[in-house]
Amino acid sequence: MGLDSDGAAAPSGENAGEKSRPGWTLRSEGSRTPLTASRLLRRFVQIGLGLVLLWVGAVFWLGLMYWVVPPVSTLMLGRWMILQPVERDYVSLEEISPHLPLAVMTSEDSRFCQHGGVDWEVLRDVVEAADEDGPSRGASTIPMQTAKNLFLWPSRSYVRKGLELPVALYLDLIWSKRRMMENYLNIAEWGEGVFGAEAAAQRYFRKPAKALTRREAALLATALPNPLVRNPARPTRRHQALAGRLLARMEVAAPFSECLKG
């Protein structure tokens, strides 16, 4: 260290070189935090967008693939991942009693043959009738339920409902009505680990789905809203009453089920 002309200690060696370097600035630890947080936020946004694009691509390609390949629901995948058994034998619509698709259509989606994946009239009525606690009833069509079973999660939320709509419209666009019903009847849950009409018919009635009677079809259809509680083989009095009313409605709905016929 040396003395300048005023007697002050002059910087020497390493310290002097540091001060003379152009563009050299010192930052406190606090000044780095906003930059780090911004990078983290940007990274999270990029990951989120990547996952969304990956999901959209999966919906697009799997939707096309499921035209010829038996579909697999998210509930089935979830059970396989935790090493739980899955009962499901995929069968064509020709191998299912015609009473079952008629019963399911009448019970779940009476305008199935008329709408294009979403029943906008019913959806509007449900939204208009909703109060501060939310809608008092659902407006899910069979394409919307198929979209949920194949690509979404089972718990209720407005986010899931919002995602159901475009997927249902897409599936209804690329599949025929018969293919939609066939896929739905082969992935619908009918009990703990029981998926599809064939497995349900064997489990509850000890017969193939092709041999289901009208009453058995009505019992299976009215079990769908609560398949883990309602047992078609041992229906409660309420379950029997629901099936009886459905049988009467099936008579009226039959003329509107032309899209189910080959």
Side-chain angles (χ1 to χ4, degrees), residues 141-153:
T141 61
I142 287 175
M144 290 171 67
Q145 293 181 59
T146 304
K148 177 198 70 176
N149 290 344
L150 290 179
F151 302 112
L152 298 167
W153 58 94

Side-chain angles (χ1 to χ4, degrees), residues 68-105:
V68 293
V69 176
V72 176
S73 72
T74 53
L75 287 177
M76 294 167 66
L77 288 172
R79 290 186 65 84
W80 281 326
M81 289 176 65
I82 60 174
L83 305 179
Q84 292 294 314
V86 170
E87 297 179 40
R88 201 280 288 269
D89 294 313
Y90 190 96
V91 293
S92 67
L93 201 59
E94 288 78 9
E95 298 174 90
I96 299 174
S97 167
H99 301 312
L100 184 59
L102 176 61
V104 169
M105 187 197 80

